[in-house]
Amino acid sequence: MHDEQLLRYSRHIMLPEIDIAGQTRLLDATALIIGLGGLGSPAALYLAAAGVGKLILTDDDDVELSNLQRQIAHTLSRIGTNKAASAAAQIGEISPDTQVEVIAARLDGAALEAAVQRADIVLDCTDNFDSRYLINDVCWRVGKPLVSGAAIRLEGQISVFDPNDGASPCYRCLYAEGSDAALNCAENGVAAPLVGIIGTCQALEAMKYLAGIGSSLIGTILYFDGKYMEWRRLTLKPRDGCSTCGDQRQNA
């Protein structure tokens, strides 16, 4: 690290859990953030500020006025701009040394797998079950840890799934089937700070993993009730017969 980086990340370096070694790991890491809306906005900004060396940002949506209530990476002047590009512009104002790759498309198939392969960790900040299942399956297939978050109304959840950990469940162990109707912010609403809480927790879990500190939420799911400011911590185990991770465990 050069002198400017030592000053920029001095508050991290002061922490014995991170120190120079952990900060160096962050600077050498690549994170893939899928979805730059309510969850992806704080996740991307905090990972950039924390010193993650490269961020791959992907989203096929453009910024709209209704997004500004909660999606803090975007501004009035960038309405109509692709969300990944808008977030990259904001990151440039915070951490110009962070390398940002913008993918202004909805990734699937070989393109998604290629992006996941290039990352050290993946953050699922999408808002529908189809995308979450797809991301989970690809991460499991190529062996990349996944930080999954969700938020709706006044409730949120977060967990970490890691195919490299023999005891880790996957997202399909949590939800074998899902209904996107229950996760539609446009129809159900969502409190602005709630997505910040969950997205920031996703950033922290990713940072801990990359820096090699603390214990992760592998095998645990946290549920947050914003109405009563309550967290519930539940154990999550691999589900017998899971179509994603069950076969892999059998073949291991």
Side-chain angles (χ1 to χ4, degrees):
M1 278 186 285
H2 51 69
D3 289 348
E4 184 176 321
Q5 288 175 322
L6 289 171
L7 177 60
R8 176 183 286 269
Y9 304 117
S10 60
R11 270 53 171 185
H12 270 177
I13 294 169
M14 289 177 185
L15 300 173
E17 295 89 349
I18 299 180
D19 207 344
I20 290 179
Q23 189 62 50
T24 300
R25 285 192 287 269
L26 291 175
L27 290 167
D28 292 339
T30 298
L32 169 62
I33 302 177
I34 304 176
L36 275 301
L39 300 175
S41 287
L45 297 182
Y46 267 113
L47 287 180
V52 174
K54 180 173 182 179
L55 297 178
I56 304 172
L57 309 180
T58 177
D59 200 310
D60 66 336
D61 286 338
D62 294 337
V63 179
E64 299 178 359
L65 180 61
S66 62
N67 301 148
L68 303 184
Q69 167 250 9
R70 64 200 177 281
Q71 299 179 15
I72 60 172
H74 313 309
T75 63
L76 273 171
S77 65
R78 292 200 289 272
I79 288 177
T81 302
N82 171 265
K83 288 184 180 180
S86 173
Q90 194 69 10
I91 288 169
E93 296 294 321
I94 297 170
S95 181
D97 290 338
T98 300
Q99 183 181 354
V100 182
E101 177 181 344
V102 171
I103 303 176
R106 184 182 296 270
L107 294 182
D108 57 17
L112 176 59
E113 185 161 325
V116 171
Q117 285 276 22
R118 293 190 290 122
D120 297 301
I121 196 164
V122 178
L123 286 78
D124 180 357
C125 300
T126 62
D127 62 357
N128 65 86
F129 275 111
D130 287 344
S131 295
R132 289 169 183 165
Y133 288 142
L134 180 61
I135 294 164
N136 172 77
D137 294 351
V138 171
C139 285
W140 207 267
R141 185 164 62 248
V142 303
K144 299 292 183 174
L146 171 64
V147 184
S148 175
I152 193 72
R153 302 186 185 96
L154 286 160
E155 300 174 348
Q157 67 182 53
I158 178 174
S159 189
V160 177
F161 309 108
D162 187 358
N164 302 298
D165 185 305
S168 175
C170 76
Y171 185 78
R172 285 188 189 269
C173 295
L174 176 61
Y175 295 113
E177 297 180 358
S179 169
D180 284 341
L183 295 173
N184 190 322
C185 290
E187 296 180 4
N188 294 276
V190 64
L194 177 69
V195 291
I197 292 168
I198 303 300
T200 301
C201 286
Q202 287 183 267
L204 181 57
E205 284 298 300
M207 192 190 88
K208 285 162 51 186
Y209 182 92
L210 295 172
I213 63 172
S215 60
S216 79
L217 290 175
I218 294 171
T220 299
I221 181 165
L222 292 182
Y223 289 102
F224 178 66
D225 185 337
K227 187 173 182 179
Y228 300 103
M229 292 301 286
E230 293 178 349
W231 288 94
R232 288 186 296 152
R233 185 183 185 99
L234 302 179
T235 299
L236 180 64
K237 295 182 179 180
R239 181 172 55 83
D240 291 340
C242 175
S243 61
T244 297
C245 65
D247 289 343
Q248 184 166 320
R249 293 179 198 283
Q250 270 189 328
N251 298 328

